[in-house]
Amino acid sequence: MTTTPDLTGMEQERLRAHVAEVLTRARSRSTALTDAVDDDDLTRQHSRLMSPLVWDLAHIGNQEELWLVRDVGGRDPVRQDIDELYDAFKHARVDRPALPLLGPAEARGYVNEVRDKVLDVLDHAVLEGRPLVEGAFAFGMIAQHEQQHDETMLATHQLRAGAPVLDAPAPPRGRRLPAAEVLVPAGPFTMGTSTEPWALDNERPAHQVQVDAFVIDVAAVTNADYAAFIDAGGYDDPRWWSVPGWAHRQDTGITAPRFWTRIDGAWWHRQFGVPQPLALHQPVVHVSFHEAAAYAAWAGKRLPTEAEWEKAARHDPATGRSRRYPWGDEDPGPQHANLGQRHLAPAEAGAYPAGASPLGVQQLIGDVWEWTSSDFHPYPGFAPFPYDEYSLVFFGADYKVLRGGSFGTDAVACRGTFRNWDYPIRRQIFAGFRCARDPRAEELG
Ligand SMILES: [Fe+2]
């Protein structure tokens, strides 16, 4: 962790107010997602890939209790007897419905009791002096954790059968893109961060990376683009698929992104229980890494590496420094990106010109998580913090890195440096992709 200079009283108060705000925002979202359905829906498993919603809720409270009530606050446990039930490493998602979980009323009472204690801890905690509390890190980590589960719960809602229960205004319409692709010149850039106070261990430390010149798409691949791949027989042509990708395609029999159906020759997709004609200009979502890579090969391109993605998002050629976000250092606002479940769909290509990177790449933040070609590895100088199970146990070739956040991701859990990871076969997450390619000789002039 970076140490910050001693905070003045006023800075401590400002930090406390910020923490209270992000914790409250996370809780409003958890409450909305769990109050939207009845007790039967809360306790049922909607997919073997997901926990019952009531597990997520009490798990959110349990992590908050462990880190903020017990560790930061040094207070007595609230419900030590349930620690094991809500330890994500002890029980696979598929087994969670059979556990003696807290019921909906008990879970709500528990998370409220924990939160009351946490707000009291926040009032009294000294937000410096040891890495866990420096810059209110543990509070930021817990707010991010709750928001990550809120995104997972949103994915559970997307998998849930039955009448629609969520509603939100449509995202902004797209605009004409200034170009289809941009060239990112060769050279070093600073990847990762050593200064972002709430960055997680896998985003650290900042380090220089040399990146060859590459060309990247200004926007993510749209539903119309992806439908063209299907129409061209892309799912039936092993030339476009990696060996494991083709095996997965054969084993599962997939022929389109998840939640797509063809009716009388026209594609429809289901968003949170509402069937609608395929939104042609929205980014494709609910595709696996293997599908993304196959599309890119068919298009004569490839997925960007994680370093390429981050350079396209953060590198400012005018100053040589890396920005916190594509548009600059200011926190995301509604003009920059489709984040925070304000809309329940990704926005069309070109909808957020104010969020463009210095080189003109758009919508890198928000809308859909973007698959990269990179496995999840630690950065040079990585140190596990505050516990091994946050990232360390996931490093390796089993997982592919996703970047940028989705419409379901909150701003607190989304940065130019933020790294997500998942299995290359996963499709229930809000993931799409954009393509990259090597430049042609004449483009390098
Ligand atoms: Fe968790």
Side-chain angles (χ1 to χ4, degrees):
M1 294 291 296
T2 329
T3 46
T4 43
D6 290 357
L7 298 176
T8 63
M10 205 202 282
E11 285 164 340
Q12 291 242 1
E13 285 323 301
R14 210 177 294 135
L15 188 52
R16 269 185 241 284
H18 177 60
V19 167
E21 182 204 316
V22 295
L23 287 175
T24 303
R25 188 167 78 226
R27 186 53 47 86
S28 311
R29 186 155 303 139
S30 307
T31 304
L33 289 164
T34 48
D35 284 358
V37 290
D38 62 20
D39 284 5
D40 178 55
D41 258 345
L42 281 176
T43 48
R44 159 202 307 272
Q45 188 170 43
H46 297 279
S47 156
R48 289 170 58 84
L49 295 172
M50 311 306 271
S51 315
L53 292 166
V54 77
W55 185 92
D56 285 290
L57 184 63
H59 166 80
I60 285 167
N62 184 244
Q63 286 290 303
E64 186 166 324
E65 181 191 344
L66 289 172
W67 288 99
L68 300 182
V69 176
R70 294 190 214 167
D71 195 324
V72 173
R75 311 277 176 98
D76 289 340
V78 183
R79 288 290 304 262
Q80 203 158 24
D81 57 309
I82 61 170
D83 288 354
E84 201 266 352
L85 276 180
Y86 295 101
D87 182 336
F89 289 91
K90 296 253 165 69
H91 308 282
R93 284 180 175 178
V94 63
D95 301 325
R96 290 175 191 165
L99 301 171
L101 302 177
L102 302 189
E106 228 184 333
R108 288 183 173 116
Y110 171 61
V111 299
N112 289 343
E113 186 181 350
V114 170
R115 177 56 58 89
D116 283 348
K117 287 185 193 295
V118 163
L119 293 177
D120 191 58
V121 168
L122 176 63
D123 275 346
H124 298 97
V126 177
L127 301 176
E128 56 194 344
R130 64 175 179 135
L132 195 60
V133 295
E134 196 78 51
F137 174 81
F139 293 91
M141 177 182 79
I142 286 300
Q144 292 179 70
H145 178 258
E146 180 159 358
Q147 289 286 5
Q148 285 159 1
H149 278 274
D150 290 345
E151 182 166 357
T152 302
M153 289 198 280
L154 189 68
T156 304
H157 273 275
Q158 170 68 339
L159 288 159
R160 171 185 162 270
V165 294
L166 300 180
D167 197 18
R173 299 301 301 267
R175 295 180 214 189
R176 209 185 142 77
L177 298 172
E181 304 177 317
V182 298
L183 173 75
V184 181
F189 90 107
T190 303
M191 188 171 184
T193 177
S194 299
T195 52
E196 186 70 33
W198 292 356
L200 301 162
D201 60 1
N202 61 59
E203 299 166 66
R204 300 168 181 275
H207 58 289
Q208 289 280 301
V209 177
Q210 178 68 38
V211 183
D212 288 342
F214 65 100
V215 174
I216 191 162
D217 287 358
V218 168
V221 169
T222 65
N223 285 325
D225 299 333
Y226 199 84
F229 166 64
I230 301 175
D231 289 343
Y235 278 82
D236 298 316
D237 193 336
R239 275 183 304 166
W240 312 129
W241 300 74
S242 66
V243 171
W246 184 248
H248 176 67
R249 183 257 168 270
Q250 296 298 82
D251 291 348
T252 56
I254 51 173
T255 54
R258 187 144 191 185
F259 308 110
W260 285 33
T261 358
R262 210 198 288 257
I263 302 173
D264 295 333
W267 284 113
W268 287 64
H269 61 159
R270 191 163 53 81
Q271 291 177 326
F272 301 99
V274 184
Q276 34 210 327
L278 191 67
L280 294 175
H281 304 297
Q282 286 179 9
V284 66
V285 60
H286 299 299
V287 286
S288 66
F289 166 83
H290 293 310
E291 290 167 293
Y295 172 95
W298 169 78
K301 299 188 178 186
R302 58 177 174 77
L303 296 179
T305 65
E306 187 184 8
E308 287 172 339
W309 190 98
E310 188 170 323
K311 186 173 181 185
R314 299 184 61 215
H315 180 63
D316 180 356
T319 62
R321 65 181 280 276
S322 287
R323 299 171 162 194
R324 293 176 68 214
Y325 296 96
W327 54 85
D329 291 344
E330 61 182 301
D331 286 341
Q335 73 280 25
H336 293 128
N338 179 11
L339 289 168
Q341 304 185 16
R342 288 195 309 274
H343 311 293
L344 293 175
E348 293 177 345
Y352 290 94
S357 76
L359 289 164
V361 187
Q362 298 196 14
Q363 286 165 285
L364 288 148
I365 299 292
D367 297 305
V368 290
W369 287 102
E370 299 183 18
W371 287 109
T372 72
S373 62
S374 300
D375 297 338
F376 187 45
H377 288 303
Y379 291 157
F382 167 83
F385 179 80
Y387 60 116
D388 283 357
E389 285 76 17
Y390 191 80
S391 312
L392 182 68
V393 299
F394 297 102
F395 288 135
D398 287 349
Y399 296 96
K400 291 292 181 187
V401 173
L402 300 111
R403 288 302 203 97
S406 78
F407 63 89
T409 311
D410 189 81
V412 77
C414 192
R415 294 172 284 280
T417 55
F418 192 93
R419 310 173 76 194
N420 189 6
W421 65 93
D422 215 325
Y423 291 117
I425 62 170
R426 285 287 185 254
R427 312 207 300 166
Q428 87 282 7
I429 53 176
F430 303 111
F433 61 102
R434 77 179 66 219
C435 294
R437 63 178 173 84
D438 297 339
R440 294 182 288 268
E442 69 271 18
E443 290 174 306
L444 295 173

